[in-house]
Amino acid sequence: MLPPSPTPTQDEYHPIVVVGAGPVGLSLAIDLAQRGQAVVLVDDGDRFSVGSRAICFAKRTLDIWDRLGVGERMVNKGVSWNVGKVFFRDEEVWHMNLLPEPLHRCPAFINLQQYYCEGYLFERAQALGVDIRVKHKVIALDNQPQQVTLRIQTPDGHYQIQTDWLLACDGARSPLRGMLGQCSQGRIFQDRFLIADVRMKAHYPAERWFWFDPPFHPNQSVLLHSQPDGVWRIDFQLGWDADPIEEVKEQNVRPRVQALLGADVDFEFEWISIYTFACERMENFRFGRVFFAGDAAHRVSPFGARGANSGIQDSDNLAWKLDLYLRGLAPEQLLDSYCIERHAAADENLLHSSRATDFITPKSEISRLFRDTVLRLAKHHAFARSMVNSGRLSTPSSYPQSPLTTPDEDTFASNMPLGAAALDAPLRQQAQSTWWLSHLGHRFTLAMFNPRDDQLSSLSALAQHETLQVVLIYPAQNTPAIPPSGFTVLHDHFGIWQQRYDAQSGAAFLFRPDQHLSARWRQPTVAKINAALKRACGYTQGDAYAEH
């Protein structure tokens, strides 16, 4: 339990206020603080999450957290896994490797209890000077064109905060959403699921196991995950008619777990809960000076690990845009692009989540017959495996149609589409090993592969730009004897970077501060690069790009 924060003796002003100290709110506050912004974070609670809750964190989230200074700590504590297996009744019908390529710094997924994530993020935020206030509950909100006023209730009294920007990360029930008279719309699923966090000594591998209609829990589904500290997460589908009060009683849960594990396995419970879920989102994520992120903006089923991972991508998308705007380096149109990009991402997640739920919980005999037939065929036929849906696992959002993205004028054969999050790759810098993503995220980055001398001279002016860094990447067989001055120089020692980006000599790649690829060229020019940078900063045709 965290001690309540002191109550201010008078009303205050702060330029940025984040509400909600879950993984999304903490990540957003850390990102802004790392960029030099002063942030106040308020939360009505005084403790970290109880139980595992969100446990599956995808590679993209780990890459973001690594940039925020906590990724390595998360990976070291978490259980890393790449393999998922699907069972139908008592047979394995399919298994998948979610990170088949070697030479990535982060695993495909880790499992880590949410209370550990929140604790690590909380400590990082404190170290960066974020003003975190617990037991401070927002009870009223006045959203005006020039400023937002919050009335805060604490154990010792009330006070007000005036802020320029309010970032609402206050969860699926979001009181702030209600205060603005807004709601989420979508689909409510009439089914109940039981979560049991079980501590035991087990010999199961660190994999995701999903059963359809297993003999130990017939006509329903079961999900098994490993967690740190010898804890295992088990989800049992119960059906809509299950009594939520009776089903969480230990004497009723124990037989279900024992049937899965076997009569000779000893275990103890750490946490038992029951849940229902919805796939829904707000119509808009921005209302003047208020932005919504995470579950406050959109909610999906837990199958596929799309909830928390999508919320972290929200924070990753918003922080750099708000920072550039506040520093006078971008127009307000850049803030509007948050909604354009994250609305599309939310819709994609809702679609996948709804489809997974329909497959897991068929609502008619015909639907069940279809699902069971697909599962039988999947054991022997590849075409059927693509139809198996035990929760399409979270993948990074791409923004190919974003107004910030410059369309390709050349053809690239890489597996990374335009607008996607950057793929990592091992590189060398001054004879030391490094990773590509370690060099992205602070500013815009222009990567030039094996540049010609004439390109270097024309890039000198770009290297002086406040919002842009220029990185030169050379293949191992063409390392310059004297590295060019004024640029970051890296070496593609293994050829992995060139392969993953389909890079040819003289090519250029422009990455945003959130590590997404916003433009690329086989034959770049300074004019093309300037135009793409202007576009990625939110300037529309005809706006003058401010030189800083």
Side-chain angles (χ1 to χ4, degrees), residues 352-488:
H352 284 298
S353 187
S354 297
R355 287 176 174 174
T357 305
D358 286 337
F359 193 86
I360 293 167
T361 62
K363 302 303 187 290
S364 68
E365 288 303 316
I366 293 297
S367 296
R368 181 175 291 274
L369 177 62
F370 169 79
R371 186 199 70 180
D372 291 354
T373 301
V374 167
L375 290 168
R376 290 189 186 96
L377 291 170
K379 186 172 183 179
H380 304 288
H381 301 283
F383 82 90
R385 291 170 201 148
S386 65
M387 302 167 69
V388 174
N389 196 338
S390 63
R392 301 279 187 227
L393 287 158
S394 176
T395 54
S397 300
S398 295
Y399 311 125
Q401 304 303 320
S402 169
L404 308 185
T405 302
T406 298
D408 278 337
E409 60 183 34
D410 304 304
T411 300
F412 288 83
S414 71
N415 292 326
M416 199 187 79
L418 184 67
L423 295 175
D424 209 358
L427 298 165
R428 295 184 72 81
Q429 183 178 26
Q430 297 179 345
Q432 299 295 315
S433 296
T434 186
W435 291 95
W436 172 232
L437 292 186
S438 298
H439 299 272
L440 299 178
H442 306 293
R443 294 179 287 169
F444 284 93
T445 299
L446 181 71
M448 296 284 297
F449 184 76
N450 199 23
R452 304 183 305 270
D453 290 342
D454 64 299
Q455 289 179 309
L456 293 179
S457 60
S458 64
L459 289 175
S460 298
L462 286 175
Q464 306 304 313
H465 202 292
E466 184 178 346
T467 63
L468 181 71
Q469 65 169 342
V470 178
V471 178
L472 310 180
I473 301 177
Y474 289 92
Q477 67 274 18
N478 192 29
T479 301
I482 302 177
S485 61
F487 305 103
T488 298

Side-chain angles (χ1 to χ4, degrees), residues 172-473:
R173 294 181 176 86
S174 184
L176 296 183
R177 189 174 61 214
M179 292 175 195
L180 287 178
Q182 302 299 318
C183 63
S184 287
Q185 297 180 341
R187 181 179 173 191
I188 307 296
F189 288 89
Q190 294 190 339
D191 211 330
R192 301 189 197 279
F193 290 80
L194 175 76
I195 298 176
D197 279 356
V198 174
R199 185 182 295 274
M200 63 180 178
K201 291 182 178 180
H203 302 290
Y204 299 114
E207 299 172 349
R208 179 188 193 261
W209 286 10
F210 195 101
W211 287 269
F212 291 94
D213 193 12
F216 55 83
H217 192 57
N219 300 316
Q220 305 286 15
S221 63
V222 178
L223 177 63
L224 176 69
H225 269 296
S226 62
Q227 303 178 71
D229 307 330
V231 178
W232 293 76
R233 163 80 167 265
I234 309 173
D235 291 55
F236 293 94
Q237 181 188 0
L238 300 178
W240 185 243
D241 295 333
D243 186 331
I245 297 176
E246 291 296 317
E247 290 292 350
V248 295
K249 293 179 178 178
E250 183 174 328
Q251 65 266 28
N252 294 326
V253 180
R254 183 167 291 276
R256 297 189 187 280
V257 176
Q258 204 80 66
L260 165 62
L261 301 179
D264 58 340
V265 177
D266 293 327
F267 61 89
E268 59 185 41
F269 291 107
E270 278 219 339
W271 180 56
I272 299 172
S273 183
I274 198 167
Y275 64 89
T276 58
F277 55 83
C279 290
E280 59 187 14
R281 77 165 176 90
M282 299 177 69
E283 183 176 357
N284 197 4
F285 298 167
R286 180 186 181 184
F287 296 86
R289 293 179 171 268
V290 182
F291 288 88
F292 286 83
D295 284 352
H298 46 78
R299 187 158 58 119
V300 295
S301 80
F303 302 110
R306 293 178 175 273
N309 288 294
S310 179
I312 300 301
Q313 290 180 59
D314 289 346
S315 72
D316 186 50
N317 189 286
L318 180 56
W320 71 273
K321 296 175 178 178
L322 184 56
D323 173 63
L324 281 186
Y325 173 74
L326 290 174
R327 290 197 287 127
L329 300 174
E332 192 168 345
Q333 292 98 303
L334 183 63
L335 302 182
D336 292 331
S337 73
Y338 169 74
C339 292
I340 295 171
E341 294 181 344
R342 296 314 296 167
H343 286 176
D347 289 341
E348 179 183 2
N349 282 316
L350 288 166
L351 177 64
H352 284 298
S353 187
S354 297
R355 287 176 174 174
T357 305
D358 286 337
F359 193 86
I360 293 167
T361 62
K363 302 303 187 290
S364 68
E365 288 303 316
I366 293 297
S367 296
R368 181 175 291 274
L369 177 62
F370 169 79
R371 186 199 70 180
D372 291 354
T373 301
V374 167
L375 290 168
R376 290 189 186 96
L377 291 170
K379 186 172 183 179
H380 304 288
H381 301 283
F383 82 90
R385 291 170 201 148
S386 65
M387 302 167 69
V388 174
N389 196 338
S390 63
R392 301 279 187 227
L393 287 158
S394 176
T395 54
S397 300
S398 295
Y399 311 125
Q401 304 303 320
S402 169
L404 308 185
T405 302
T406 298
D408 278 337
E409 60 183 34
D410 304 304
T411 300
F412 288 83
S414 71
N415 292 326
M416 199 187 79
L418 184 67
L423 295 175
D424 209 358
L427 298 165
R428 295 184 72 81
Q429 183 178 26
Q430 297 179 345
Q432 299 295 315
S433 296
T434 186
W435 291 95
W436 172 232
L437 292 186
S438 298
H439 299 272
L440 299 178
H442 306 293
R443 294 179 287 169
F444 284 93
T445 299
L446 181 71
M448 296 284 297
F449 184 76
N450 199 23
R452 304 183 305 270
D453 290 342
D454 64 299
Q455 289 179 309
L456 293 179
S457 60
S458 64
L459 289 175
S460 298
L462 286 175
Q464 306 304 313
H465 202 292
E466 184 178 346
T467 63
L468 181 71
Q469 65 169 342
V470 178
V471 178
L472 310 180
I473 301 177

Side-chain angles (χ1 to χ4, degrees), residues 60-109:
R60 179 62 193 142
T61 295
L62 301 176
D63 289 336
I64 294 169
W65 280 343
D66 194 74
R67 181 174 59 78
L68 301 184
V70 293
E72 185 175 0
R73 192 176 183 188
M74 301 283 191
V75 172
N76 288 343
K77 180 62 178 179
V79 174
S80 298
W81 61 278
N82 297 331
V83 174
K85 292 182 178 178
V86 176
F87 301 85
F88 180 45
R89 295 178 181 157
D90 57 355
E91 287 189 292
E92 179 185 332
V93 296
W94 186 34
H95 72 270
M96 60 198 121
N97 186 347
L98 299 164
L99 191 65
E101 287 185 328
L103 296 175
H104 285 267
R105 174 176 43 182
C106 293
F109 281 88

